[in-house]
Amino acid sequence: MTTTRTLRIGTRASALARVQTTLVADAIREDSGCAVELVDVTTRGDVDRASLAQIGGTGVFVAALRERLLDGSVDVAVHSLKDLPTTMPDRLRLAAVPVREDPRDALVAPEYQTLAGLPPGARVGTGSPRRAAQVRAARPDVTVVDIRGNVDTRLKRVTGAAEDRLDAVVLAYAGLVRLGRADEVTEVLPPELMLPAPGQGALAVECRADDEATAVLLKALDDESTRVSVAAERALLATLEAGCAAPVGALATVAGGGGVRTGGAAAHNVDLRAVVFAPDGTASVRRTATGPLGEPERLGRELAAELLAGGAAALMGEQET
């Protein structure tokens, strides 16, 4: 399929956002031959240095991109899927969810290497209440420091001046891989220790709901296994009525591996595990479930109901006190 149009793709201006958008742009060019133009868009999350909990994490990296999409300034918007609010605007469509990068979190601790290896009182930086809670649960003897900024800024906190240096930072492994900085990771944190955010490692490619031509172009980028997995995770988040800054971890996998067909045979199930933490890490509710491949949203809703029955709402409510 080829086209002579130029597709304008909105992106945040950070290095990671541009790398992620370039991955999508390159895939569009390769599949369709369509010319693409990247358009930088500044979001509230890029300019407000307050913590995500303070500025209302849900949508702070998304709203400005969506506004430019709706007013016709761009044809496509690329987001980190974990930043998307769980409610989709009527005038937009999630046209593609490309193959997911590794969804796990990563520790960068040049001196101590691992979370277990950190000494008591070590200072660990993260801007995520979810990561903070799970660090505190695993290591109640360390100090969690709230930090913001792009990947480079956060990594410099473990190598910079002594007065504000941290012993470790926790970031999404996918972002470091995409930036070519995976060699700086000292420990990839397993889901058993730290469940990632719903949608972490995946990208969301949006277009206007009435733009059928662009939707057709983007369809080739969609990965069914990834879409099914994140649908389960996001349905769970929506049912919990929790935003992307809440201390909620979730990870869905298509049974049998990374694809809807594994070992030559079709996979039929989705495995979903989730946890809700108190912000201080002292209490949590954890559940797992398996459901049919064709009903990921139902699986997410049902597992969320189990979490709520186990007391998850009270734990999430503690972040407001």
Side-chain angles (χ1 to χ4, degrees), residues 17 45 91 97 102 110 121 143 153 168 178 211 224 232 278 284 290 302 318:
R91 294 171 58 198
V97 181
D102 191 320
T143 299
T153 298
R178 287 172 176 145
D211 189 351
E224 184 179 355
S284 64
T290 298
E302 291 179 348
E318 291 182 19

Side-chain angles (χ1 to χ4, degrees), residues 82 100-109 113-115 124-135 154 169-177 182 184-201 244 246-251 275 277:
K82 69 181 179 62
R100 190 180 206 170
E101 185 53 82
D102 191 320
R104 294 175 293 175
D105 288 296
L107 185 82
V108 180
Q113 300 294 302
T114 67
L115 187 60
V124 181
T126 176
S128 160
R130 172 191 59 82
R131 291 178 183 137
Q134 292 185 92
V135 168
R154 285 178 282 166
V169 291
V170 185
L171 308 92
Y173 185 50
L176 295 168
V177 170
E184 298 181 54
V185 173
T186 59
E187 183 182 22
V188 179
L189 300 170
E192 294 75 22
L193 178 65
M194 183 172 291
L195 269 176
Q200 185 162 302
C244 65
V248 175
L251 182 63
V275 65
F277 269 92

Side-chain angles (χ1 to χ4, degrees), residues 238-295:
T239 305
L240 291 175
E241 297 184 350
C244 65
V248 175
L251 182 63
T253 54
V254 173
V260 290
R261 297 190 65 83
T262 58
H268 298 291
N269 294 319
V270 182
D271 297 326
L272 177 62
R273 44 186 159 172
V275 65
V276 176
F277 269 92
D280 64 3
T282 58
S284 64
V285 181
R286 190 181 299 266
R287 297 287 187 273
T288 62
T290 298
L293 191 69
E295 298 181 297

Side-chain angles (χ1 to χ4, degrees), residues 33-53:
C34 181
V36 298
E37 173 191 355
L38 268 58
V39 179
D40 287 346
V41 178
T42 300
T43 72
R44 181 183 178 191
D46 296 315
V47 297
D48 195 325
R49 296 295 92 191
S51 71
L52 290 180

